[in-house]
Amino acid sequence: MVSNDLHRDIEAVLLTEEQIQRRIAELGAQISADYAGKELHLIGVLRGAVMFLADLMRHLTIPCSCDFIAIASYGMDTKSSGVVRILKDLDDSIQGKHVLIVEDIVDTGLTLNYILNLIRSRNPASVRVCALLDKPERRIVPVEIHYLGFTIPNRFVVGYGLDYAQKYRNLPYIGILRPEIYGGV
Ligand code: PRP
Ligand code: 7HP
């Protein structure tokens, strides 16, 4: 059962608020340098990437805009089948734009693979991916991550946008959730 004290449900802090913010500043500087002289269109994948996108954007020194997409799994089997559907499409056209997809975590890669195919079909000038976390042990579909915050072990993590049953997104750090909370091992 999820208790009211969110911190008590955390087995260990994997990444502190300071570590996260320092790395995001580095990513922002790198992205700003790589896109110097260009405009960048950020696409955040709802809902987990909201905090990461908001913090990353504040470290970009180039002109940029943002939009959001939300997708959901089809049926029971989606996480293994890779079949997903769009819950909220982009508001703006991306034709001719330099697009940066912003994700909180790449796990199996199925979500990102679907979004990349969708975005590429809409004729942007370029597409790259920026992900805060990568859990490579779980990968099913290979996906290229151009800008990565941290590689993490195969543990279920929450905080800084990441949830379990829609909770814990508001934790300022990323922590390993106690397995007894979600019935894992
Ligand atoms: C999470 C996360 C990624 C996706 C990664 O989203 O935000 O979008 O899973 O998993 P994958 O690489 O195995 O596809 P989720 O569907 O939990 O929605 P949320 O962002 O609203 O939490
Ligand atoms: C999705 C997801 N959401 C929260 N924590 C994790 O470790 C996750 N992996 N994939």
Side-chain angles (χ1 to χ4, degrees):
M1 200 182 79
V2 177
S3 73
N4 280 331
D5 182 355
L6 297 179
H7 302 285
R8 281 221 315 247
D9 297 344
I10 303 302
E11 181 181 294
V13 174
L14 189 64
L15 296 165
T16 65
E17 187 174 0
E18 290 73 23
Q19 285 175 302
I20 295 167
Q21 293 302 330
R22 205 177 314 126
R23 185 72 187 117
I24 292 174
E26 290 171 359
L27 289 172
Q30 179 69 56
I31 293 166
S32 299
D34 290 355
Y35 287 88
K38 298 186 176 119
E39 288 190 20
L40 187 59
H41 190 61
L42 307 180
I43 294 181
V45 184
L46 294 172
R47 302 172 209 177
V50 164
M51 292 182 197
F52 179 39
L53 184 143
D55 284 342
L56 180 67
M57 204 169 181
R58 277 177 278 200
H59 286 285
L60 298 180
T61 53
I62 48 170
C64 55
S65 52
C66 69
D67 201 348
F68 294 90
I69 191 167
I71 65 164
S73 308
Y74 256 128
M76 313 260 292
D77 200 27
T78 313
K79 279 288 169 191
S80 54
S81 70
V83 182
V84 297
R85 70 194 159 98
I86 300 173
L87 286 180
K88 183 222 165 285
D89 205 340
L90 300 172
D91 289 332
D92 300 332
S93 164
I94 54 168
Q95 182 147 13
K97 293 181 182 172
H98 294 288
V99 167
L100 184 66
I101 299 170
V102 180
E103 260 287 26
D104 54 348
I105 188 165
V106 182
D107 189 307
T108 63
L110 292 169
T111 304
L112 185 55
N113 185 56
Y114 174 84
I115 292 172
L116 272 167
N117 288 333
L118 181 77
I119 301 282
R120 286 190 180 125
S121 74
R122 295 181 181 181
N123 301 315
S126 68
V127 188
R128 283 186 176 176
V129 171
C130 179
L132 181 64
L133 305 177
D134 182 18
K135 223 194 254 187
E137 285 172 61
R138 295 251 313 157
R139 196 74 89 252
I140 293 175
V141 186
V143 281
E144 188 178 359
I145 303 171
H146 304 87
Y147 303 100
L148 174 65
F150 305 91
T151 299
I152 64 165
N154 186 12
R155 300 295 306 275
F156 196 84
V157 293
V158 293
Y160 195 70
L162 292 125
D163 75 308
Y164 170 66
Q166 299 305 329
K167 294 192 176 173
Y168 307 100
R169 294 193 200 270
N170 53 320
L171 290 175
Y173 56 82
I174 288 170
I176 297 170
L177 190 63
R178 289 189 186 283
E180 57 267 33
I181 304 292
Y182 61 93
V185 285

PDB file of all heavy atoms in Angstrom, residues 79 104-108 135 138 152 155-158 162-164, ligand 2:
ATOM      1  N   LYS A  79       3.110  -3.198 -24.067  1.00  0.00           N
ATOM      2  CA  LYS A  79       4.503  -2.987 -23.690  1.00  0.00           C
ATOM      3  C   LYS A  79       5.417  -3.987 -24.376  1.00  0.00           C
ATOM      4  O   LYS A  79       6.576  -3.727 -24.586  1.00  0.00           O
ATOM      5  CB  LYS A  79       4.671  -3.051 -22.171  1.00  0.00           C
ATOM      6  CG  LYS A  79       4.283  -1.748 -21.483  1.00  0.00           C
ATOM      7  CD  LYS A  79       5.303  -0.638 -21.739  1.00  0.00           C
ATOM      8  CE  LYS A  79       4.777   0.700 -21.291  1.00  0.00           C
ATOM      9  NZ  LYS A  79       5.626   1.813 -21.747  1.00  0.00           N
ATOM     10  N   ASP A 104      11.622  11.241 -20.374  1.00  0.00           N
ATOM     11  CA  ASP A 104      12.186  11.034 -19.035  1.00  0.00           C
ATOM     12  C   ASP A 104      13.012   9.757 -18.976  1.00  0.00           C
ATOM     13  O   ASP A 104      14.084   9.727 -18.398  1.00  0.00           O
ATOM     14  CB  ASP A 104      11.082  11.031 -17.961  1.00  0.00           C
ATOM     15  CG  ASP A 104       9.969  10.028 -18.239  1.00  0.00           C
ATOM     16  OD1 ASP A 104       9.913   9.478 -19.359  1.00  0.00           O
ATOM     17  OD2 ASP A 104       9.152   9.789 -17.333  1.00  0.00           O
ATOM     18  N   ILE A 105      12.490   8.677 -19.591  1.00  0.00           N
ATOM     19  CA  ILE A 105      13.208   7.393 -19.507  1.00  0.00           C
ATOM     20  C   ILE A 105      12.996   6.581 -20.779  1.00  0.00           C
ATOM     21  O   ILE A 105      11.910   6.589 -21.365  1.00  0.00           O
ATOM     22  CB  ILE A 105      12.754   6.591 -18.253  1.00  0.00           C
ATOM     23  CG1 ILE A 105      13.622   5.349 -18.046  1.00  0.00           C
ATOM     24  CG2 ILE A 105      11.284   6.225 -18.319  1.00  0.00           C
ATOM     25  CD1 ILE A 105      13.476   4.721 -16.664  1.00  0.00           C
ATOM     26  N   VAL A 106      14.060   5.905 -21.199  1.00  0.00           N
ATOM     27  CA  VAL A 106      13.955   4.922 -22.277  1.00  0.00           C
ATOM     28  C   VAL A 106      14.185   3.560 -21.637  1.00  0.00           C
ATOM     29  O   VAL A 106      15.237   3.309 -21.050  1.00  0.00           O
ATOM     30  CB  VAL A 106      14.977   5.178 -23.405  1.00  0.00           C
ATOM     31  CG1 VAL A 106      14.784   4.164 -24.521  1.00  0.00           C
ATOM     32  CG2 VAL A 106      14.830   6.601 -23.949  1.00  0.00           C
ATOM     33  N   ASP A 107      13.179   2.724 -21.747  1.00  0.00           N
ATOM     34  CA  ASP A 107      13.179   1.419 -21.081  1.00  0.00           C
ATOM     35  C   ASP A 107      13.261   0.343 -22.172  1.00  0.00           C
ATOM     36  O   ASP A 107      14.345   0.034 -22.660  1.00  0.00           O
ATOM     37  CB  ASP A 107      11.906   1.351 -20.236  1.00  0.00           C
ATOM     38  CG  ASP A 107      11.841   0.166 -19.308  1.00  0.00           C
ATOM     39  OD1 ASP A 107      12.003  -0.962 -19.771  1.00  0.00           O
ATOM     40  OD2 ASP A 107      11.608   0.343 -18.100  1.00  0.00           O
ATOM     41  N   THR A 108      12.123  -0.187 -22.612  1.00  0.00           N
ATOM     42  CA  THR A 108      12.160  -1.150 -23.725  1.00  0.00           C
ATOM     43  C   THR A 108      12.517  -0.470 -25.047  1.00  0.00           C
ATOM     44  O   THR A 108      12.961  -1.115 -25.989  1.00  0.00           O
ATOM     45  CB  THR A 108      10.795  -1.844 -23.906  1.00  0.00           C
ATOM     46  OG1 THR A 108       9.817  -0.853 -24.254  1.00  0.00           O
ATOM     47  CG2 THR A 108      10.361  -2.565 -22.645  1.00  0.00           C
ATOM     48  N   LYS A 135      17.652   2.845 -19.400  1.00  0.00           N
ATOM     49  CA  LYS A 135      17.727   1.555 -18.707  1.00  0.00           C
ATOM     50  C   LYS A 135      18.039   0.499 -19.777  1.00  0.00           C
ATOM     51  O   LYS A 135      17.149  -0.226 -20.228  1.00  0.00           O
ATOM     52  CB  LYS A 135      16.356   1.277 -18.078  1.00  0.00           C
ATOM     53  CG  LYS A 135      16.365   0.725 -16.675  1.00  0.00           C
ATOM     54  CD  LYS A 135      14.997   0.197 -16.337  1.00  0.00           C
ATOM     55  CE  LYS A 135      14.239   1.070 -15.400  1.00  0.00           C
ATOM     56  NZ  LYS A 135      12.968   0.447 -14.949  1.00  0.00           N
ATOM     57  N   ARG A 138      16.825  -3.330 -20.305  1.00  0.00           N
ATOM     58  CA  ARG A 138      15.436  -3.685 -20.645  1.00  0.00           C
ATOM     59  C   ARG A 138      15.121  -3.520 -22.135  1.00  0.00           C
ATOM     60  O   ARG A 138      14.010  -3.774 -22.570  1.00  0.00           O
ATOM     61  CB  ARG A 138      14.500  -2.780 -19.844  1.00  0.00           C
ATOM     62  CG  ARG A 138      14.585  -3.001 -18.349  1.00  0.00           C
ATOM     63  CD  ARG A 138      13.375  -3.670 -17.819  1.00  0.00           C
ATOM     64  NE  ARG A 138      12.157  -3.055 -18.334  1.00  0.00           N
ATOM     65  CZ  ARG A 138      10.990  -3.685 -18.386  1.00  0.00           C
ATOM     66  NH1 ARG A 138      10.888  -4.916 -17.977  1.00  0.00           N
ATOM     67  NH2 ARG A 138       9.922  -3.044 -18.844  1.00  0.00           N
ATOM     68  N   ILE A 152      20.999   3.988 -16.011  1.00  0.00           N
ATOM     69  CA  ILE A 152      20.634   3.467 -14.690  1.00  0.00           C
ATOM     70  C   ILE A 152      20.459   1.949 -14.737  1.00  0.00           C
ATOM     71  O   ILE A 152      20.205   1.378 -15.800  1.00  0.00           O
ATOM     72  CB  ILE A 152      19.345   4.135 -14.135  1.00  0.00           C
ATOM     73  CG1 ILE A 152      18.133   3.807 -15.011  1.00  0.00           C
ATOM     74  CG2 ILE A 152      19.541   5.632 -13.969  1.00  0.00           C
ATOM     75  CD1 ILE A 152      16.801   4.126 -14.345  1.00  0.00           C
ATOM     76  N   ARG A 155      16.174  -1.202 -12.239  1.00  0.00           N
ATOM     77  CA  ARG A 155      15.339  -1.084 -11.050  1.00  0.00           C
ATOM     78  C   ARG A 155      14.201  -0.121 -11.354  1.00  0.00           C
ATOM     79  O   ARG A 155      14.361   0.771 -12.185  1.00  0.00           O
ATOM     80  CB  ARG A 155      16.149  -0.542  -9.854  1.00  0.00           C
ATOM     81  CG  ARG A 155      17.317  -1.394  -9.442  1.00  0.00           C
ATOM     82  CD  ARG A 155      16.914  -2.760  -8.922  1.00  0.00           C
ATOM     83  NE  ARG A 155      15.954  -2.706  -7.841  1.00  0.00           N
ATOM     84  CZ  ARG A 155      16.266  -2.555  -6.551  1.00  0.00           C
ATOM     85  NH1 ARG A 155      17.528  -2.451  -6.200  1.00  0.00           N
ATOM     86  NH2 ARG A 155      15.327  -2.520  -5.626  1.00  0.00           N
ATOM     87  N   PHE A 156      13.061  -0.284 -10.681  1.00  0.00           N
ATOM     88  CA  PHE A 156      11.932   0.616 -10.928  1.00  0.00           C
ATOM     89  C   PHE A 156      12.147   1.918 -10.156  1.00  0.00           C
ATOM     90  O   PHE A 156      12.243   1.922  -8.933  1.00  0.00           O
ATOM     91  CB  PHE A 156      10.604  -0.032 -10.538  1.00  0.00           C
ATOM     92  CG  PHE A 156       9.444   0.714 -11.133  1.00  0.00           C
ATOM     93  CD1 PHE A 156       9.033   0.447 -12.427  1.00  0.00           C
ATOM     94  CD2 PHE A 156       8.808   1.715 -10.428  1.00  0.00           C
ATOM     95  CE1 PHE A 156       8.000   1.158 -13.015  1.00  0.00           C
ATOM     96  CE2 PHE A 156       7.760   2.433 -10.994  1.00  0.00           C
ATOM     97  CZ  PHE A 156       7.355   2.150 -12.286  1.00  0.00           C
ATOM     98  N   VAL A 157      12.227   3.001 -10.895  1.00  0.00           N
ATOM     99  CA  VAL A 157      12.536   4.295 -10.282  1.00  0.00           C
ATOM    100  C   VAL A 157      11.352   5.253 -10.394  1.00  0.00           C
ATOM    101  O   VAL A 157      10.546   5.162 -11.321  1.00  0.00           O
ATOM    102  CB  VAL A 157      13.797   4.935 -10.902  1.00  0.00           C
ATOM    103  CG1 VAL A 157      15.041   4.125 -10.563  1.00  0.00           C
ATOM    104  CG2 VAL A 157      13.663   5.091 -12.416  1.00  0.00           C
ATOM    105  N   VAL A 158      11.275   6.160  -9.445  1.00  0.00           N
ATOM    106  CA  VAL A 158      10.216   7.177  -9.427  1.00  0.00           C
ATOM    107  C   VAL A 158      10.833   8.526  -9.036  1.00  0.00           C
ATOM    108  O   VAL A 158      11.951   8.593  -8.532  1.00  0.00           O
ATOM    109  CB  VAL A 158       9.087   6.829  -8.428  1.00  0.00           C
ATOM    110  CG1 VAL A 158       8.318   5.587  -8.873  1.00  0.00           C
ATOM    111  CG2 VAL A 158       9.630   6.649  -7.014  1.00  0.00           C
ATOM    112  N   LEU A 162       8.789  10.855 -12.941  1.00  0.00           N
ATOM    113  CA  LEU A 162       8.482   9.426 -13.111  1.00  0.00           C
ATOM    114  C   LEU A 162       7.533   8.961 -12.013  1.00  0.00           C
ATOM    115  O   LEU A 162       7.698   9.322 -10.847  1.00  0.00           O
ATOM    116  CB  LEU A 162       9.766   8.605 -13.069  1.00  0.00           C
ATOM    117  CG  LEU A 162      10.679   8.837 -14.265  1.00  0.00           C
ATOM    118  CD1 LEU A 162      12.052   9.247 -13.825  1.00  0.00           C
ATOM    119  CD2 LEU A 162      10.748   7.597 -15.137  1.00  0.00           C
ATOM    120  N   ASP A 163       6.593   8.112 -12.406  1.00  0.00           N
ATOM    121  CA  ASP A 163       5.535   7.722 -11.467  1.00  0.00           C
ATOM    122  C   ASP A 163       5.464   6.220 -11.246  1.00  0.00           C
ATOM    123  O   ASP A 163       5.994   5.421 -12.017  1.00  0.00           O
ATOM    124  CB  ASP A 163       4.172   8.171 -12.006  1.00  0.00           C
ATOM    125  CG  ASP A 163       3.690   7.279 -13.148  1.00  0.00           C
ATOM    126  OD1 ASP A 163       4.456   7.076 -14.118  1.00  0.00           O
ATOM    127  OD2 ASP A 163       2.559   6.753 -13.057  1.00  0.00           O
ATOM    128  N   TYR A 164       4.777   5.872 -10.167  1.00  0.00           N
ATOM    129  CA  TYR A 164       4.164   4.553 -10.050  1.00  0.00           C
ATOM    130  C   TYR A 164       2.700   4.823  -9.720  1.00  0.00           C
ATOM    131  O   TYR A 164       2.414   5.520  -8.739  1.00  0.00           O
ATOM    132  CB  TYR A 164       4.805   3.689  -8.952  1.00  0.00           C
ATOM    133  CG  TYR A 164       3.992   2.448  -8.693  1.00  0.00           C
ATOM    134  CD1 TYR A 164       3.883   1.474  -9.681  1.00  0.00           C
ATOM    135  CD2 TYR A 164       3.272   2.286  -7.515  1.00  0.00           C
ATOM    136  CE1 TYR A 164       3.100   0.359  -9.487  1.00  0.00           C
ATOM    137  CE2 TYR A 164       2.481   1.167  -7.322  1.00  0.00           C
ATOM    138  CZ  TYR A 164       2.392   0.206  -8.311  1.00  0.00           C
ATOM    139  OH  TYR A 164       1.597  -0.887  -8.133  1.00  0.00           O
TER     140      TYR A 164
HETATM  141  C1  7HP B   2       8.740   3.288 -17.365  1.00  0.00           C
HETATM  142  C2  7HP B   2       8.949   3.695 -16.046  1.00  0.00           C
HETATM  143  N1  7HP B   2       8.257   4.536 -15.242  1.00  0.00           N
HETATM  144  C3  7HP B   2       8.741   4.723 -14.005  1.00  0.00           C
HETATM  145  N2  7HP B   2       9.838   4.103 -13.531  1.00  0.00           N
HETATM  146  C4  7HP B   2      10.537   3.255 -14.305  1.00  0.00           C
HETATM  147  O1  7HP B   2      11.630   2.666 -13.825  1.00  0.00           O
HETATM  148  C5  7HP B   2      10.093   3.039 -15.623  1.00  0.00           C
HETATM  149  N3  7HP B   2      10.540   2.271 -16.648  1.00  0.00           N
HETATM  150  N4  7HP B   2       9.707   2.443 -17.702  1.00  0.00           N
END
